């Protein structure tokens, strides 16, 4: 077994381990925001590591330069955090509660002001 | 309530180009690799749909002033036309394919077939139908 095979194996195993950790985090964390925190971060890095291993395998062992896999890495790295942001934002705006042991909620005041304004507008109509 | 979706719009501007380039790649790779007109058209429709999600409906309509029903018609005409034109000029059955190796200076040899315009017709029909269905549902305010 050559060195590059060992490196590729380590990358694949790390990616699988990170994806597994993300899945465990989705089950174990108490509220939506903690679960998204676990899901987006660790799953993104897991996918990136597995794709990097695939790219290295095809580059060095099969002698092919596969651009699609690199594009996948860039794409996942760009879009997964924004997807997590949009999900948590919409969850907050429809009023999904935080974990009861949370100590600080900086957005509470602003979102309640916006809600009151919206209610007033609908009353006037 | 005016929301500030600066993250979504910024990422849309970057990601739409990646998806569009990948859809064109899939369209041209269809002869020798996985891909083709159908999946390329669906990817293009997905990229345009991401623009509709990231921006306003009116803004995107200004940026992409296509009538998608006309796009479906043009795609069908191109697909039928490839069959009819080869039938008229060469006295062979309908939809017979021709291929030829063409030498282009500086770029090398291309293997051009009449299957490519046929695939272009499929591409246009798929883009037009997918966007027409989704936009008709989205604009339904009732």
């Amino acid at each position: 077994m050559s060195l590059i095979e060992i490196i590729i194996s380590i990358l694949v195993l790390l990616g699988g381990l990170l994806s597994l950790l993300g899945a465990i985090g989705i089950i174990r964390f108490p509220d939506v925001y903690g679960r998204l925190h676990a899901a987006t971060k660790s799953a993104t890095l897991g996918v990136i590591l597995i794709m990097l291993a695939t790219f290295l395998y095809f580059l060095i062992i099969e002698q092919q330069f596969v651009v699609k896999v690199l594009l996948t890495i860039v794409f996942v790295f760009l879009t997964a955090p924004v997807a997590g942001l949009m999900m948590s934002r919409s969850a907050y705006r429809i009023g999904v509660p935080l974990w009861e042991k949370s100590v600080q909620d900086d957005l509470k005041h602003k979102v309640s002001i916006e809600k009151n304004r919206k209610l007033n507008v609908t009353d006037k109509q | 309530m005016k929301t500030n979706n600066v993250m979504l719009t910024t990422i849309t501007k970057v990601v739409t180009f990646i998806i569009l380039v990948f859809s064109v790649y899939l369209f041209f790779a269809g002869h020798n690799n996985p891909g083709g007109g159908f999946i390329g058209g669906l990817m293009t429709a997905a990229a345009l749909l991401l623009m509709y999600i990231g921006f306003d409906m009116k803004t995107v309509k200004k940026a992409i002033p296509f009538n998608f029903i006309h796009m479906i018609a043009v795609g069908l005409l191109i697909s039928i036309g490839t069959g009819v034109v080869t039938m008229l000029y060469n006295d062979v059955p309908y939809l017979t394919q021709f291929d030829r190796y063409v030498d282009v200076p500086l770029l090398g040899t291309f293997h051009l077939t009449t299957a490519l315009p046929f695939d272009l017709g499929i591409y246009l029909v798929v883009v037009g139908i997918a966007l027409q269905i989704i936009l008709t549902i989205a604009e339904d305010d009732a």
Side-chain angles (χ1 to χ4, degrees):
Chain A
M1 216 161 120
S2 62
L3 181 65
I4 192 67
E5 281 174 342
I6 295 173
I7 293 174
I8 290 171
S9 314
I10 289 173
L11 283 178
V12 170
L13 286 175
L14 260 181
L17 185 71
L18 277 170
S19 305
L20 181 69
L21 284 179
I24 294 173
I26 291 176
I27 298 174
R28 296 283 298 168
F29 273 122
D31 63 347
V32 175
Y33 312 103
R35 281 177 189 158
L36 276 168
H37 165 78
T40 52
K41 277 192 187 61
S42 58
T44 308
L45 191 57
V47 169
I48 286 175
L49 285 181
I50 290 174
M51 282 296 151
L52 200 64
T54 315
F55 176 73
L56 284 178
Y57 176 81
F58 276 106
L59 183 69
I60 291 164
I61 296 176
E62 304 270 327
Q63 309 282 333
Q64 292 174 0
F65 188 80
V66 190
V67 189
K68 271 181 278 184
V69 179
L70 281 183
L71 202 66
T72 312
I73 294 176
V74 174
F75 196 82
V76 171
F77 194 62
L78 277 177
T79 51
V82 180
L85 170 78
M86 295 311 287
M87 275 189 272
S88 55
R89 233 173 98 108
S90 49
Y92 194 89
R93 279 174 184 270
I94 60 173
V96 176
L98 269 67
W99 186 31
E100 63 266 18
K101 286 180 191 164
S102 305
V103 289
Q104 199 172 352
D105 188 0
D106 285 343
L107 273 176
K108 196 177 194 173
H109 184 60
K110 192 157 182 349
V111 171
S112 62
I113 287 174
E114 279 179 354
K115 259 185 194 156
N116 284 334
R117 202 181 291 154
K118 198 179 168 190
L119 285 179
N120 289 336
V121 168
T122 45
D123 284 345
K124 275 172 197 166
Q125 284 169 351
Chain B
M1 185 163 63
K2 188 167 170 59
T3 51
N4 185 9
N5 274 330
V6 70
M7 280 287 211
L8 186 62
T9 50
T10 312
I11 216 72
T12 302
K13 284 173 195 164
V14 180
V15 163
T16 307
F17 280 104
I18 300 178
I19 304 178
L20 281 175
V21 169
F22 189 61
S23 74
V24 173
Y25 162 76
L26 278 176
F27 172 69
F28 282 111
H31 203 74
N32 299 319
N33 284 312
F38 184 76
I39 191 159
L42 279 181
M43 288 284 280
T44 308
L48 298 183
L49 203 64
L50 181 66
M51 283 172 73
Y52 277 106
I53 292 173
F55 294 98
D56 205 338
M57 204 93 165
K58 286 172 190 164
T59 320
V60 183
K61 273 217 173 119
K62 217 178 282 174
I64 315 169
F66 296 144
N67 187 341
F68 294 115
I69 294 178
H70 293 175
M71 199 187 249
I72 298 170
V74 169
L76 282 175
L77 278 178
I78 291 173
S79 284
I80 296 168
T82 54
V84 173
V85 168
T86 51
M87 184 174 74
L88 289 179
Y89 276 96
N90 295 297
D91 199 23
V92 288
Y94 178 60
L95 276 180
T96 308
Q97 281 191 34
F98 291 96
D99 62 322
R100 187 166 293 168
Y101 285 92
V102 179
D103 281 322
V104 179
L106 295 176
L107 291 178
T109 313
F110 283 107
H111 181 205
L112 296 180
T113 65
T114 56
L116 189 69
F118 185 80
D119 233 16
L120 180 67
I122 295 172
Y123 176 89
L124 289 176
V125 170
V126 169
V127 173
I129 286 182
L131 283 175
Q132 186 65 37
I133 289 172
I134 292 165
L135 294 184
T136 310
I137 297 171
E139 281 171 344
D140 191 8
D141 287 334

